[in-house]
Amino acid sequence: AECLCSIRFSPVDNENLPDEFDVVCCKNCGFIFDDMHSSQKDFDKYYENTTKYQAIGACGSGGSSRDDLIRYASLYNFAFENISPLVKVLDIGAGKCGFLQYLSSKGFINLTAIEPSIEENNINNIKIYHAISDIGREKEEFDFIICSQVMEHIFDINAFMVDMLSLSNYKTKFYIEVPDANEYLNSYRAPFHL
């Protein structure tokens, strides 16, 4: 990989992640990612303890801002408009469960979220787990698995994909969405979220 730049932030108490990392580009495929000295356990602890994804008004974290609602409508029209509301839907990294609540308003009833930063086990009839391993114990399978704006937060993508596949069957549909690095210059929030 080629190092594009190094970034150093001011240390934040109890954040459990390094305050510096390199932004690198894979020479084989062009994938751009943060290369930091941490482990999946560090990331798990960080997401379990952080509250920023639950903050009111935090756009892009599963909330109900105008931009979030526009994105939900677009995703619904793209992937859910012609699907039975009886399908079992899993949203991994659901934030405040905004998209699942949007689906609920459209009549979907079998809704599940994985979100480590939510303390509740149920919000508006949405079943909430804190980790994929919690669902794995129940041997649940889903008809549709959403992974929106999450992959860039995963340390070990191969292990994550294995875990995701363990919750699926041969008919499961996946929706995976990641930031488009080509759009960073068009966003005032870049590169933090698009």
Side-chain angles (χ1 to χ4, degrees):
E2 174 187 357
C3 181
L4 302 176
C5 68
S6 295
I7 297 177
R8 182 174 174 84
F9 295 105
S10 297
V12 177
D13 290 339
N14 301 319
E15 192 158 274
N16 303 313
L17 292 178
D19 57 2
E20 62 183 286
F21 59 88
D22 295 329
V23 177
V24 298
C25 179
C26 175
K27 290 182 180 181
N28 293 326
C29 69
F31 183 67
I32 297 173
F33 59 97
D34 298 340
D35 187 15
M36 59 177 53
H37 300 287
S38 56
S39 68
Q40 186 62 55
K41 285 185 179 185
D42 295 330
F43 279 87
D44 293 345
K45 188 173 182 179
Y46 168 75
Y47 288 112
E48 184 178 311
N49 293 323
T50 190
T51 58
K52 72 180 182 181
Y53 297 104
Q54 299 307 314
I56 295 171
C59 182
S61 61
S64 58
S65 72
R66 185 178 77 71
D67 288 343
D68 288 326
L69 295 175
I70 290 170
R71 196 166 65 86
Y72 301 156
S74 178
L75 174 52
Y76 176 81
N77 291 335
F78 174 76
F80 287 89
E81 192 169 36
N82 297 313
I83 293 179
S84 165
L86 301 178
V87 298
K88 291 177 67 176
V89 179
L90 172 64
D91 188 353
I92 299 174
K96 295 182 220 92
C97 297
F99 183 65
L100 292 178
Q101 291 182 62
Y102 184 89
L103 287 179
S104 179
S105 75
K106 299 286 188 183
F108 285 74
I109 57 173
N110 295 311
L111 304 171
T112 303
I114 296 176
E115 179 52 54
S117 65
I118 295 178
E119 293 187 18
E120 297 87 2
N121 293 323
N122 189 302
I123 295 176
N124 298 332
N125 296 317
I126 298 168
K127 189 188 276 188
I128 299 170
Y129 293 93
H130 298 109
I132 286 179
S133 58
D134 295 338
I135 295 177
R137 285 188 214 105
E138 296 184 19
K139 306 287 187 223
E140 283 207 58
E141 290 183 349
F142 295 88
D143 302 305
F144 207 108
I145 297 176
I146 303 162
C147 190
S148 176
Q149 307 294 328
V150 170
M151 297 294 277
E152 68 273 18
H153 299 269
I154 302 297
F155 184 80
D156 186 343
I157 291 182
N158 290 334
F160 178 75
M161 294 300 289
V162 167
D163 287 343
M164 221 174 28
L165 289 173
S166 74
L167 302 173
S168 67
N169 60 52
Y170 72 98
K171 290 184 178 182
T172 301
K173 292 179 175 42
F174 293 87
Y175 177 83
I176 298 174
E177 177 184 16
V178 295
D180 180 356
N182 292 320
E183 295 296 318
Y184 282 177
L185 294 177
N186 298 326
S187 176
Y188 71 92
R189 297 175 295 210
F192 307 106
H193 192 274
L194 291 178

